[in-house]
Amino acid sequence: MDLNGKVALVTGSAQGLGRAFVEILLKNGAKVSLLDVNVPKGEELKAVFDQTYGPEQTIFIPCDVTSEVQLKDAFHKTKEKFGKLDIVCNNAGIANEQDWEKTITVNLNGVIRGTYLAMEIMKQQKEGGVIVNTASVAGLEPLTLMPVYTATKHGIIGFTRAMATASTICKSGVRLNALCPAFVQTNLLDSVIDDDQLAGVVKTMTIDIMKRIGPLNVSEVAEAFLQLVTDESKNGAIMKIEKQGGANYVQFQFNTELKTAPK
Ligand SMILES: NC(=O)C1=CN([C@@H]2O[C@H](COP(=O)(O)OP(=O)(O)OC[C@H]3O[C@@H](n4cnc5c(N)ncnc54)[C@H](O)[C@@H]3O)[C@@H](O)[C@H]2O)C=CC1
Ligand SMILES: CCC(=O)/C=C/C=C\C[C@@H](O)/C=C/C=C/C=C\[C@@H](O)CCCC(=O)O
């Protein structure tokens, strides 16, 4: 997929991975709708992008992905402003095991709602579209310290794979993928490490692991994101990216017996 003239929407785009995803989309010629609950940071970033890419290439929409009204409105405003929607990245996420219900509503409900809103628009477009949901390695292997965060990321992967299969069966023209980074140097990672609520011995163990495998930087993950967005042959693929191992597609074991029609 050539990104020139394409229209994208990224949630959680005011900083961290979301900001990096927006930047690589802009660099490749796309117009981008930035959604974030952090309005000052979002407006500040919009001003930066206006300088580099011109005011017409982006729009910033204050949006809390846990609000159905706000998310619907943001998708509507994006379609109204740019006329179409080709790429959606449901990226907004938090790691808060104390307020675990909020973690579920942001990380899982927000991705599910964003996916459905994107499908509604894209399936009516001749050119379809692509949805990339930001999961995590924690969606493939549990994080001892963050069981609820782990559950949300496992949920994103299962949901995305199911939607991708349904999209193929219905010939909707929409591709769906999930991106699973290992540790990435962002505010989220810093907040987890600095969280003194986390258990001592397990925290030390996990931080040792983090130091050993090394955090990725956001631009490394953004390159993997771009690969998923532009490769039109990969509907349903789940991509894992680690500091040492780089980016690889995850192989899942299918129980073929489950796939045969009932006797
Ligand atoms: N940092 C890491 O080690 C990894 C992060 N991830 C995932 O990447 C995604 C982005 O995380 P980071 O860039 O690391 O975090 P970050 O904290 O640097 O950025 C997250 C952005 O999402 C926004 N946000 C949070 N709640 C929101 C809500 N309810 N509505 C709208 N926006 C909201 C924040 O304001 C912030 O701008 C998350 O889904 C996270 O789970 C996945 C693997 C590793
Ligand atoms: C306190 C340490 C921690 O859990 C940090 C989490 C930070 C970011 C969120 C997440 O998206 C990153 C996950 C990265 C996982 C990488 C490798 C895992 O296999 C480590 C498993 C460590 C464990 O058993 O807890």
Side-chain angles (χ1 to χ4, degrees), residues 190-205:
D190 291 342
S191 67
V192 171
I193 294 170
D194 296 342
D195 181 349
D196 55 15
Q197 303 274 329
L198 297 176
V201 63
V202 177
K203 180 171 181 175
T204 306
M205 173 203 83

Side-chain angles (χ1 to χ4, degrees), residues 17-39:
L17 284 169
R19 171 172 177 162
F21 296 161
V22 173
E23 286 181 300
I24 205 164
L25 288 165
L26 289 169
K27 279 181 185 152
N28 283 273
K31 297 178 190 291
V32 189
S33 181
L34 288 73
L35 276 51
D36 205 296
V37 70
N38 187 327
V39 178

Side-chain angles (χ1 to χ4, degrees), residues 83-98:
K84 60 174 181 169
L85 187 60
D86 302 295
I87 302 157
V88 167
C89 181
N90 293 298
N91 168 74
I94 62 173
N96 185 334
E97 294 294 314
Q98 282 65 51

Side-chain angles (χ1 to χ4, degrees), residues 167-255:
S167 182
T168 298
I169 292 168
C170 300
K171 298 185 172 64
S172 72
V174 181
R175 292 185 278 127
L176 295 100
N177 300 103
L179 182 60
C180 302
F183 303 111
V184 188
Q185 198 51 63
T186 69
N187 284 6
L188 180 145
L189 185 57
D190 291 342
S191 67
V192 171
I193 294 170
D194 296 342
D195 181 349
D196 55 15
Q197 303 274 329
L198 297 176
V201 63
V202 177
K203 180 171 181 175
T204 306
M205 173 203 83
T206 314
I207 290 172
D208 287 349
I209 291 172
M210 206 187 303
K211 286 189 181 133
R212 198 158 14 91
I213 66 178
L216 291 149
N217 58 55
V218 291
S219 51
E220 290 172 292
V221 184
E223 287 298 335
F225 165 75
L226 185 67
Q227 190 182 329
L228 272 182
V229 168
T230 53
D231 187 340
E232 300 183 44
S233 69
K234 288 284 190 284
N235 181 37
I238 307 301
M239 179 185 273
K240 177 179 181 180
I241 172 164
E242 297 170 298
K243 192 72 180 174
Q244 278 75 26
N248 296 284
Y249 289 106
V250 180
Q251 300 303 318
F252 292 89
Q253 295 303 318
F254 290 97
N255 179 339

